[in-house]
Amino acid sequence: MGPSLSPYIRFFLICCWVTLAATSAFGQTAQNFAISPPSSVNITLQGCRNDGTLSPANFPIIINGTPYYICPDKMYTTGNLGKNWAELDNVPFRLIVSDGSKGSGSLTYNVVVAGDNIDVQSGTQHTGYFVVSPPEADPGCQSKGGPGPCLAQDQTDSSCAVSVVSAGDQIVSGITGGTDTTIYETLQITQNRGTTCVFDYFQTLALGSHFFNGSNLQAYKFEDAGFSVGKQTVPLPVNACSNSNPQCQPSPAPQGLSKTMGASEGQGNVWTVAKAAPTSATFNACNLNDTSKNLSVVVTWTETPGAPGLITITTNVYETNPALVPVTVNVTDTINATKIADSSTVQVGTASASGVTVAPQMTQLVLTDTATVDPSLYTTPFSDHADATVVDSGNNSLGSLTADACIDPSNASCTGTFTQGSGSDNSADVTDTESVSDTAGALTFSVQDTVPSGLGSFTFNNNSYMLPGSAIVGPLLWDSDSVSARGSIQFDKTVYLNPAGTATTGDLTDTATVTASDSKTNSDSADVKITSAPVTKLTINKTIDQASQNDLTFTFHVVPSGGNTDAATPQVTIKAGQTSGSIDVTTLAPGAYTVSEDTLQGWQPQASQNATLSTDNTCTTSVEFDNKSVQDLSVTKDAAPGFNRTYTWGITKSVDQTTIDISNPSTGATFNYTVSVTHDSGTDGGWAVTGNITVSNPNPVAFTGVDVMDAIDNGGNCSISDQSQGQNETVPANGSIQLPYKCTYTSVPSPSGFTNTATATWPSSFGAPDTTKSGTATGTFSGVSPTIVDGSVTVTDTFGGSLGTVSYTDSSPKTFKYSHTFTGDPAGTCTKHDNTATFTTNSTQSTGSDTKEVQVCVGADLSVSKTVAVTTPTYSWTLTKSVSPNGTLEQSGSTTLKYTVTASYTKTGSWTVYGTITVANPNNWEDIKGVTVTDALDTGSNGVCVVTGGSNVTVPKSGSVTLNYSCTYSAVPSPTSGTNTVTATWTAATFFTPHGTQSGTAPYAFSPPTSGPTTVTITDNFNNGGNTTLGVINALTNVVTSLGSGVTLTSAPPTPTL
Amino acid sequence: VTVTGGTCSAIPNTATISGTGLTTSVTVTVTVCNTKTGALTMGFWQNKNGQAIITNSGPKTGTCALTTWLEQYAPFQDLSPISTCAQVATYVYNIIKVANASGASMNAMLKAQMLATALDVYFGGGPGGNPIGVPTAIGGIKIDLTKVCSMIDSSNGTGTCSGTYLITSSAFGGATSGTVSFLLSYAASQSNAGGSVWYAQNKTVQGLAKNTFDSINNQAATIAP
């Protein structure tokens, strides 16, 4: 691709090989391919996605006068290269080669780069790529001898070198599906270990490549001689637009040939006008900075001397070059006229031109053909046919183009004009009208300059349009004023997109007209297709933590947010020995997407990621998927055999007497005890293998749902004793779990030797190579010493305390003796004392015991209580009165009345102290018999007491005896109050009581000693005249005193009458 | 004891015994009635003292007030209704003069005794004032009709109690007692004008009525309480 090797020269060479390959390409072996890349080398093929921002102004890059077909870094992709490439364009590609090995020294290996070449469909052959340029390292890097900054972000190590080892471009057939031949080069690359190389090259699109069969033209990279290993494809879309859709954009944009045709009769001169204009301009709707495009239109007017009286026929032939490179054409044109005599078509003129260069992305006049005929001999229709051959710099044909035109007033399809005038046409006026229109109304244009400047003037809306002009949609009129000779003018225009990012399609139309002084006109138009569409790129970068021995292809799903259908299903293949790869997805519409990855067996699942393509990122973004490999869990274990020898123990207890009666609890009662402990000779059992199972997880993610089992081969039953019992366990990331297990036996294990196996099983969803792993341990019961179970006991006693320890090695039985005195027991009852001797084994803490019960009976004194009540006499009185005479008296003078008053009393009852005596026995264990009960008043009292049934009384245990007593008086009691005492007497020694007698007292009182008055006063009231005392009567003495005047006592008490 | 003539009084006497917790009383009551009403006999009203009281009772001219008062009782309607006091005195004098209890009836005696009683009422605290000086207005004194003394009348117009007591209720409509004014009214109701036919001329009943008025006039009637 350097200045010494033109792509067109190479094409010539390839043409020769095409011929050879067509007959000898059956070996399907890349020429001179000797060494495949080592597994440490990762090679990525990228192509330049033309988003419309490439123009002749910025592409190719010119370094020291040499064009380099290299795009900006950001335009390289592993995906679709877009619809903006054109036939004959040199499409840039790039190999990024990275070696992951360490150490010194260099690597040398071969790589094949290729492209779809020829496809034959229905007998028609179409060519896709017809040139593969030699790759070369970054030509810009000053640090590596270049003239300036590096053109690639991934800088090429200075050790990197590449050369084409095949004999130039080669053709091979049948190595890719659907394409007949493939053009390729075998490269040899040399680099130091651990370095990265970037090599740029291009592939040229053939004339007619937009007819290539299929939807894409593919570029390839292979890493073996057989065109199979390390294959990578980069597509470029193909669309012939055969559906006649006017909005269809052919891809790659085709080269084209067109023409205009005119005829005039009777004119002195023939004026024609022609336009050269870019074919198209493209905005990237995702790039808000992409708001203007500069383009130029050239209008050329020509004066051809006319032939008076004759018909002058003129045709202009144009070539449209949409490519970013100039093209060269050889053109031949012929003009035919109809002979009046026999209506035959006769060639009347011809012209040709060679080596006409058409500038990049321009439509340009390449030939004018003129013929003069006699109107008496020739007439319409006039026809014209042009043939153009596109040639390379060596004038080798790259393909041909044709164009036809005609003039026939009776045929509307013939668009050529035929004018007849006066011949006064030595001058002309040239005008050009420009407008822009688009579907979104977002396009405007302005004219910035003209070459030559100052020619003519611009008018917009009948006003002058001064340069540089403002943005308008037109029509903008340019008028040349009068011209008298051939000339041209170049309009430098800018097309604007506003608002930025608007998606639209439109046309910048431009019609030039030359009007001769005899008013004859000739016109030509140009139409620049303007497109604004989003150009997106989603890059999926994929890395793995360790290289694989085989190629790994990861499949991704790019789904619009909220949707469930893939918008794209790209794949990234990481070749054996490599740890990274990537792919660009360039077919997406702007929007938000979710990118998910199909889990590949042996690799950990990846979380989905979100990606948004918008003007915020010029619709270019990337996602990273970093995979970790999954490894099997590992299982290890240990195993320890063992069994038990268990001893059985017994205990008994005896005492010298079981009951002792006492009267004094502080002295107490003493008992003598004997404890006897026995054991057997032991029993074997509990054969078991125990240990731990360790399940380890080397992965950075936890394994759940892991089931662990354990088994042994000599008759034992094994179980895992953690909380989950080995089921649904979780083994933490980069960690392990330890599960205790135990294998048990119902009898002596046989054989004694064993193999113990633990197995872990986990779900396949973790992607590990396997889903189960086992670990084993071996052992034998032979020679295993038993574990002594309950080999000794400690003996304790309720009152004896700790009696000591007995071992299975001691003789059986072993006895312990001790005495115990019980004091402080409560009186009146028998207190039982349980005394338990207990043994506790040392291993199982099993216990055994024996209990002896004794009782201590303590005697208590009887208790005596009594009630006291007294009786006293009651005095009650009656009063009567009579008068004489009584009733109603008739008097004629005074009358004397005589009254009699009688007061009398009655004495009821006597003085007595009486009640009940209660003798209670508090002892619940013995009756008290032979008890004597007496009662007495205070000394000097005139009362005498008697207890009914108070001798030889038996008081039952926990019971009582109640006796009546009475103290009587023969006169008024003296004293009238005092203490009444009862006394019980029994034999203390017989009944173990502290004492032999008990008394009880109760106070008594005659208060008042009588009831009712014993002294009364008798008064009298006559006819309400006031009280007078009749006398005072004392019942205790039966004496009447204080007799009133005139009162006579007629009888003595108790019935005194006054 | 002595009570006002023509009245009865209850005389109570209460004995009380009192001691500790004891107070008890006994009362006896005696009723004493005084028969000394101040009433005057027929002889008084016929003598000059009695006649003078009537004649001077007024008014001095014209119909005597006593005439009108006596005319309310049928037996005295034989007195001219326009009689002067002197004429009334004459009328009284004549009636008493002819008083006689013999025969098949004793209309004249009954009329004379009743007239004396009427005059006692008129001049003993009644409309004629109290020229005769009674302690209690005679018309309001209540007479016990179950114990009326059978009177023995003398010729001078006075009477004494025979010691025999009568029940005169049947002469006064069955009442056991009644005021003197009531007795006058009831007896008058049993008579025609002038007293010629009285108590259907039943002499026994006439005698019961005559003894009732007679004992009143002689201050021998039992006073009812």
Side-chain angles (χ1 to χ4, degrees), chain A residues 78-377:
Chain A
T78 57
N80 189 295
L81 301 187
K83 297 179 179 180
N84 292 310
W85 291 110
E87 293 175 352
L88 301 181
D89 257 332
N90 295 323
V91 181
F93 289 90
R94 173 174 283 177
L95 283 177
I96 301 174
V97 182
S98 179
D99 177 57
S101 66
K102 301 182 183 301
S104 59
S106 63
L107 302 170
T108 298
Y109 50 87
N110 297 114
V111 175
V112 171
V113 291
D116 287 338
N117 179 230
I118 293 175
D119 174 70
V120 178
Q121 291 289 327
S122 302
T124 301
Q125 173 178 304
H126 298 290
T127 304
Y129 292 112
F130 69 101
V131 172
V132 178
S133 78
E136 60 184 330
D138 193 334
C141 281
Q142 194 170 33
S143 61
K144 301 176 179 63
C150 296
L151 301 179
Q153 183 176 7
D154 292 327
Q155 295 192 13
T156 297
D157 187 78
S158 58
S159 66
C160 297
V162 63
S163 62
V164 178
V165 297
S166 60
D169 289 351
Q170 299 295 307
I171 301 296
V172 64
S173 63
I175 65 170
T176 59
T179 301
D180 291 279
T181 64
T182 302
I183 185 169
Y184 76 94
E185 288 176 345
T186 302
L187 308 180
Q188 177 174 294
I189 297 173
T190 300
Q191 66 179 131
N192 286 346
R193 290 184 181 274
T195 62
T196 296
C197 306
V198 178
F199 301 120
D200 290 294
Y201 68 100
F202 64 79
Q203 298 185 163
T204 305
L205 291 164
L207 196 68
S209 59
H210 74 286
F211 291 117
F212 200 85
N213 185 47
S215 57
N216 289 291
L217 268 173
Q218 304 288 358
Y220 302 96
K221 178 264 295 181
F222 301 99
E223 300 180 19
D224 71 335
F227 303 101
S228 60
V229 175
K231 177 182 179 182
Q232 183 186 351
T233 59
V234 175
L236 186 150
V238 173
N239 190 352
C241 287
S242 59
N243 56 5
S244 301
N245 180 357
Q247 300 300 322
C248 181
Q249 179 183 352
S251 175
Q255 297 285 329
L257 191 69
S258 61
K259 65 176 14 179
T260 60
M261 182 176 185
S264 65
E265 179 181 3
Q267 292 177 274
N269 294 296
V270 177
W271 290 89
T272 58
V273 66
K275 303 197 69 171
T279 57
S280 63
T282 302
F283 291 91
N284 181 0
C286 284
N287 185 354
L288 298 182
N289 295 321
D290 189 12
T291 58
S292 64
K293 299 292 180 184
N294 294 323
L295 51 87
S296 297
V297 175
V298 177
V299 177
T300 303
W301 55 94
T302 305
E303 177 197 26
T304 304
L310 299 178
I311 297 172
T312 301
I313 304 170
T314 303
T315 58
N316 292 319
V317 182
Y318 303 91
E319 205 279 336
T320 296
N321 174 22
L324 290 165
V325 296
V327 299
T328 301
V329 296
N330 299 328
V331 188
T332 300
D333 186 80
T334 58
I335 300 174
N336 299 312
T338 303
K339 192 173 182 179
I340 296 174
D342 56 6
S343 301
S344 60
T345 299
V346 178
Q347 177 177 320
V348 294
T350 184
S352 63
S354 297
V356 181
T357 298
V358 180
Q361 294 191 333
M362 290 294 288
T363 297
Q364 193 170 312
L365 179 66
V366 294
L367 178 64
T368 298
D369 187 11
T370 303
T372 301
V373 296
D374 184 346
S376 62
L377 300 177

Side-chain angles (χ1 to χ4, degrees), chain A residues 691-695 708 720-722 725-726 729 737-741:
Chain A
N692 289 305
I693 301 167
T694 300
V695 182
V708 182
I720 297 172
S721 56
D722 73 324
Q725 297 183 320
E729 302 280 2
I737 58 174
Q738 195 169 61
L739 307 176
Y741 76 93

Side-chain angles (χ1 to χ4, degrees), chain A residues 485-507:
Chain A
R486 175 187 175 96
S488 66
I489 186 169
Q490 175 175 317
F491 302 110
D492 292 331
K493 302 178 184 178
T494 302
V495 178
Y496 303 96
L497 177 66
N498 185 21
T502 303
T504 187
T505 59
D507 299 89

Side-chain angles (χ1 to χ4, degrees), chain A residues 119 251 289 355 386 524 555 576 604 638 750 783 805 838 855 948 1035:
Chain A
D119 174 70
S251 175
N289 295 321
D524 191 15
T555 300
Q604 298 168 16
D638 55 18
S750 178
T805 301
T838 303
Q855 67 176 357
T948 304

